[in-house]
Structure formats: C-alpha cells, structure tokens
C-alpha cells in the first residue's frame, strides 16, 4: 500500500499474496532474494514463490525472522529446505544489552486444558473438517470459563498499566465488561471503530495513571 513502480528499478519489494499470482517467467530477472518473516516458508504460498525462484540462477538467498522454529522440528526443517541453514542467530538479550531494543521481561503463563474439557473439542462432529477446525478451536478456547477467570484475576492483581490484545470484538467486549465491573481499574476499549480523539485521550491517560487496562 502506498508503493509505486519506478522504471528501470533494480529492487522490487512485494508481498507474498501478490507475488504468488505472477507467472514463473517473471522471476527470471532476479539474482538475489531476501525473505522477511522467513519462518513463513512453511506456508504453501511462500513455498510456491520460492519454488518458482529456484528454477533460476539466484546468486544470493537471505531469510530473516525473529521467530524461527526449532531446526529439528518439521516446520524448521521445511524452512531450511527452502532457504538453507541458519547462519547467524542474535539473541534478544544481546540486542537489549546494546540498547538496540527495549529492555523487557516476558513471563509466560501456560494453561493446560484438562481432558474433561478438551474432550468436548475432540468429540465435536465438525472437528474433522479442516476448513472448520480453526473456527471451532477458536470458539472453544474463548468459551473456556477457567481460562477467562485466570486472565481476569491476573489483570486485577497487577499494579501497572496493561494492554490486552484479542482477535475478536466478542473477546474485547467480554473482558472489558467484566473488568470494568469487577475491578477497581480504569478499563478502556479500543476497536477499529473508535474515534481518533478517544484513542488520543486514552494514550494521554496511560502517561498520567498506572491503573489503566
């Protein structure tokens, strides 16, 4: 978006969803390939593009990713099959030490779903349909009350501003309504339809308070 074509340019930047639609002859002009988010080499779209490129004499291949998977995993081996072995690894701690990125600490809470709950998912009559499985899994996870309770209790206990990210409006509304009613936090809701002035008001509030969700 916002890009433009320049006649006689020798660097072309494209997204995978567009490049996959080009004929194989289009890729003959390239001598170097740089793949950002290289872990996506496990996807069919990227594999189609790389397969077309491999028909020609590419002198230089580079793959860059912040989330490479274990090279001994299936997805890790697929990535190496298309882009070659990992030549350099840079740890987040090294980047923080040299002040290239913000110094942060990440805590992961892993939730193990008991069989008594997960069996409801596996016994769903539509779970065998690959086209429906993702939606079924998403709905199943979002409706686990124990999961909801753990997240809500964690938010209530933290004495700092918090950002919760969700991929559905339903989840945004569910957590917003509960936290606004059952905690002493100042709870805001940001969606695609929010007014820009309201976004700015919330941003300013985050600088002034330490109890905003």
């Amino acid at each position: 978006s916002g890009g433009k074509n320049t006649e006689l340019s020798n660097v072309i930047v494209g997204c995978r969803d567009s490049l996959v639609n080009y004929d194989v002859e289009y890729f003959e002009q390239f001598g170097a390939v740089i793949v950002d988010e290289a872990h996506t080499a496990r996807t069919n779209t990227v594999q189609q593009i790389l397969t077309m490129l491999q028909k020609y004499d590419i002198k230089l291949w580079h793959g860059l990713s912040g989330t490479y998977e274990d090279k001994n995993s299936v997805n890790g081996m697929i990535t190496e099959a298309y882009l070659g072995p990992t030549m350099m690894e840079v740890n987040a701690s090294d980047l923080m030490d040299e002040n290239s990125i913000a110094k942060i600490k990440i805590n992961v809470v892993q939730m193990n779903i008991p069989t008594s709950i997960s069996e409801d998912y596996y016994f769903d009559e539509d779970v065998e349909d690959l086209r429906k499985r993702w939606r079924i899994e998403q709905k199943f996870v979002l409706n686990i009350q124990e999961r909801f309770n753990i997240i809500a209790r964690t938010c209530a206990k933290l004495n700092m501003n918090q950002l919760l990210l969700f991929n559905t409006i339903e989840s945004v509304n569910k957590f917003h309504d509960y936290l606004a009613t059952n905690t002493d936090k100042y709870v805001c809701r940001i969606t695609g339809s929010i007014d820009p002035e309201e976004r700015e008001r919330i941003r300013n509030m985050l600088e002034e308070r330490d109890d905003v969700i």
Side-chain angles (χ1 to χ4, degrees):
S1 177
K4 63 179 181 179
N5 293 327
T6 302
E7 189 175 359
L8 300 180
S9 61
N10 61 355
V11 176
I12 295 179
V13 180
C15 66
R16 61 188 184 186
D17 292 330
S18 297
L19 291 172
V20 74
N21 295 315
Y22 282 77
D23 294 331
V24 64
E25 291 77 15
Y26 174 78
F27 299 96
E28 185 178 5
Q29 63 184 300
F30 301 113
V33 176
I34 300 175
V35 182
D36 192 22
E37 303 294 349
H39 58 276
T40 60
R42 65 179 184 270
T43 64
N44 290 333
T45 301
V46 176
Q47 288 177 20
Q48 290 179 50
I49 297 169
L50 295 177
T51 298
M52 288 189 286
L53 284 161
Q54 288 170 352
K55 293 180 180 296
Y56 301 106
D57 186 22
I58 305 297
K59 302 295 185 183
L60 180 66
W61 295 82
H62 270 317
L64 308 170
S65 174
T67 51
Y68 263 128
E69 300 191 52
D70 186 339
K71 64 180 181 181
N72 294 317
S73 68
V74 173
N75 288 332
M77 288 188 282
I78 291 174
T79 301
E80 288 200 355
Y82 280 90
L83 292 173
T86 301
M87 303 301 294
M88 178 184 294
E89 292 186 21
V90 180
N91 295 321
S93 59
D94 295 332
L95 295 174
M96 285 189 279
D97 290 341
E98 64 182 29
N99 294 319
S100 294
I101 61 175
K103 295 184 177 182
I104 61 174
K105 180 180 179 180
I106 299 176
N107 294 317
V108 177
V109 178
Q110 180 173 332
M111 303 181 193
N112 296 318
I113 308 300
T115 303
S116 58
I117 295 177
S118 60
E119 65 183 8
D120 292 337
Y121 165 75
Y122 290 109
F123 290 150
D124 189 292
E125 62 181 12
D126 289 328
V127 77
E128 294 298 329
D129 188 333
L130 295 179
R131 295 169 299 179
K132 298 180 180 179
R133 183 178 297 177
W134 165 241
R135 292 296 180 188
I136 295 171
E137 182 176 327
Q138 184 180 60
K139 182 178 180 180
F140 174 79
V141 171
L142 293 178
N143 288 330
I144 297 176
Q145 188 61 41
E146 290 84 350
R147 170 183 174 274
F148 177 88
N149 294 340
I150 290 174
I151 297 174
R153 287 198 301 267
T154 301
C155 293
K157 292 179 180 179
L158 293 176
N159 296 316
M160 61 188 71
N161 291 336
Q162 303 170 53
L163 173 64
L164 306 184
L165 301 176
F166 300 103
N167 63 347
T168 67
I169 297 296
E170 177 186 1
S171 295
V172 172
N173 293 334
K174 183 176 181 180
F175 276 91
H176 172 274
D177 295 346
Y178 178 86
L179 294 172
T181 304
N182 296 280
T183 71
D184 58 358
K185 309 292 185 182
Y186 193 93
V187 185
C188 306
R189 174 168 39 200
I190 297 180
T191 64
S193 61
I194 193 172
D195 186 275
E197 293 183 359
E198 176 64 8
R199 289 177 184 266
E200 185 64 17
R201 186 186 71 81
I202 294 174
R203 189 187 69 79
N204 292 332
M205 189 185 308
L206 289 168
E207 297 179 356
E208 300 169 357
R209 306 177 58 138
D210 59 4
D211 62 344
V212 180
I213 299 179

